[in-house]
């Protein structure tokens, strides 16, 4: 009987995980649909480079909502991924856009400089532009994970993002690894793979960012302060 119970427990756990992964993936695709639409309609032409980057802005609140949902799952195993995601999207929408908009603007400028480097006479700086772009992406993703867990002022979010990139090198290395993995999926399989692996990438990101959240909670959040509003219902 204990063996039957154990097998049933394992099967239940696997089923719940699959349900969460499929649900979060579908919600990510829905939340990123404006980006997907623009990227599908526009060709990868140098003249469209800036618009293609700007179109990625909806990804910021979607990523924040997914991270919020995975955090809530670690605290409460109820089978309600949709309500967790939607609530996370709603409460983090403004902050994630405040973080994402400046980063997307900088990335758009850097992309234009790299794309039109020959015409602008800045081709010799392309390596520096790419390195700066990678740094901006690191800060952006770290800032979104902070926004998904805490309610800090924007300036504090940015300062803590840079601070933790330096003081949590293993988590920073994990971010880089996920970035390389994502780039590899796009380059060798196709960008459509991100539609299928979005939930896996976000849950991996959440687990890699746990040490950062723990550090910030211990050092910058008082015990009686809630990091984010509690979910409705």
């Amino acid at each position: 009987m204990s063996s039957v119970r154990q097998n049933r427990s394992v099967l239940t756990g696997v089923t719940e995980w699959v349900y969460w992964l499929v649900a979060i993936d579908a919600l990510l695709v829905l939340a990123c649909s404006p980006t997907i639409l623009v990227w599908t309609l526009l060709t990868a032409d140098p003249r469209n480079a800036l618009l293609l980057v700007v179109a990625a802005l909806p990804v910021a609140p979607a990523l924040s909502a997914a991270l919020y949902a995975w955090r809530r799952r670690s605290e409460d195993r109820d089978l309600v991924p949709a309500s967790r995601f939607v609530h996370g999207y709603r409460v983090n929408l403004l902050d994630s856009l405040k973080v994402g908009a400046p980063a997307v603007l900088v990335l758009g400028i850097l992309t234009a400089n790299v794309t039109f480097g020959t015409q602008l006479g800045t081709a010799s700086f392309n390596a520096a532009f790419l390195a700066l772009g990678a740094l901006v992406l690191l800060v952006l993703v770290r800032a979104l994970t902070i926004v998904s867990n805490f309610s800090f002022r924007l300036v504090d979010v940015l300062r803590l993002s840079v601070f933790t990139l330096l003081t949590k090198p293993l988590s920073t290395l994990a971010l880089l690894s996920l970035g390389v993995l994502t780039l590899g999926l796009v380059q060798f399989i196709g960008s459509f793979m991100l539609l299928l692996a979005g939930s896996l990438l976000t849950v991996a990101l959440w687990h890699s960012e746990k040490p950062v959240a723990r550090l910030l909670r211990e050092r910058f959040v008082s015990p009686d302060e809630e990091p984010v509003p509690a979910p409705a219902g």
Side-chain angles (χ1 to χ4, degrees), residues 26-95:
L27 290 164
L28 278 170
V29 172
L30 180 62
C32 296
S33 55
T35 301
I36 297 170
L37 180 63
V38 172
W39 286 0
T40 301
L41 294 177
L42 292 182
T43 59
D45 189 280
R47 291 169 296 182
N48 297 330
L50 183 58
L51 184 56
L52 288 169
V53 173
V54 173
L57 187 57
V59 176
L63 177 58
S64 179
L67 291 170
Y68 176 89
W70 289 121
R71 181 181 74 81
R72 288 296 302 156
R73 185 185 187 279
S74 68
E75 301 168 351
D76 184 353
R77 297 301 179 92
D78 284 348
L79 290 177
V80 287
S83 65
R84 299 289 189 245
F85 185 97
V86 170
H87 183 77
Y89 193 96
R90 180 169 60 84
V91 298
N92 295 325
L93 176 62
L94 186 58
D95 285 343

Side-chain angles (χ1 to χ4, degrees), residues 126-207:
N126 280 355
F129 291 148
L130 290 173
L132 182 57
L135 178 60
V136 171
L137 278 174
L138 283 175
V139 173
L140 172 59
V141 175
R142 176 58 53 78
L144 288 175
T145 63
I146 294 175
V147 165
S148 305
N149 285 277
F150 306 97
S151 296
F152 293 136
R153 296 179 306 168
L154 177 61
V155 63
D156 292 329
V157 170
L158 297 178
R159 290 165 61 183
L160 290 172
S161 299
V162 176
F163 169 74
T164 53
L165 285 175
L166 298 175
T167 57
K168 282 293 184 181
L170 291 181
S171 294
T172 302
L173 182 60
L175 274 185
L176 286 170
S177 300
L178 282 172
V180 171
L181 175 61
T182 303
L183 184 61
L185 289 174
V186 172
Q187 290 293 322
F188 295 105
I189 301 180
S191 56
F192 72 91
M193 191 61 191
L194 294 180
L195 302 180
L196 303 176
S199 56
L200 287 171
L201 291 172
T202 53
V203 72
L205 177 60
W206 158 241
H207 283 289

Side-chain angles (χ1 to χ4, degrees), residues 83-130:
S83 65
R84 299 289 189 245
F85 185 97
V86 170
H87 183 77
Y89 193 96
R90 180 169 60 84
V91 298
N92 295 325
L93 176 62
L94 186 58
D95 285 343
S96 61
L97 288 177
K98 286 180 180 178
V99 168
V104 166
L105 177 61
V106 172
L107 289 171
I109 294 172
L110 292 173
T111 301
N113 282 332
V114 171
T115 304
F116 301 106
T118 303
Q119 296 94 313
L120 297 174
T122 59
S124 58
F125 298 102
N126 280 355
F129 291 148
L130 290 173

